Amino acid sequence: MYRKFFKRFLDIICSLGFIICFWWLYILVAVLVKKKLGSPVIFKQERPGLNGKIFTMYKFRSMTDVKDKNGNLLSDAERLPRFGQILRSTSLDEIPEFINVLKGDMSLIGPRPLLVEYLERYNDEQKRRHNVRPGITGWAQVNGRNAISWEQKFKYDVEYVDNVNLLLDMKIVFLTIKKIFIKEGISQEGNATMEKFTGESK
């Protein structure tokens, strides 16, 4: 009952409530992003959602478009300024995703939506992470976020899929708030976020 009906009802109520209550925060962050990082303020990228269906995910921009002398973009780490690091460490870059939740592309809680290119690299077990809507936060995020291996991350994702319930979602919400304050697992060592998944994790 919770998984099929009540979870989506909570997603709508909570995401709508967040947007209404914190509309001023969206404006504030947008103005700061525009001033410090330039345009576009909103970063859009296609990501796979429920059952692998592709949708456009929204985030506040956190990186610059700095290029080398040949016109190629620098690495993510080189394009992530201090302000962008603050946005990511506080998760403020992700608040536009509440719009995705309201639209039904995402849920508040679920496996994080990854790159479309990863779809063909999953094994059968890893593909099961798409049996639920992707989330703003999830079981893998509160158990290491980007500091754990892809294998561990997918294990947590599938574990969540198999055990979706209200108490688990509430636990993830509280642990997420804790993670934001202590700022753990924001990035993998040597990377702006995490190295790309190559499909070698089985």
Side-chain angles (χ1 to χ4, degrees), residues 113-130:
L114 302 176
L115 299 178
V116 175
E117 65 189 76
Y118 292 174
L119 284 173
E120 61 184 23
R121 301 174 187 173
Y122 297 136
N123 60 35
D124 290 340
E125 181 70 3
Q126 293 163 353
K127 287 178 182 177
R128 295 179 56 223
R129 69 190 306 279
H130 292 292

Side-chain angles (χ1 to χ4, degrees), residues 71-85:
N72 300 311
L73 286 174
L74 297 179
S75 67
D76 287 356
E78 293 174 297
R79 293 188 294 120
L80 184 64
R82 177 60 180 163
F83 177 69
Q85 293 175 10

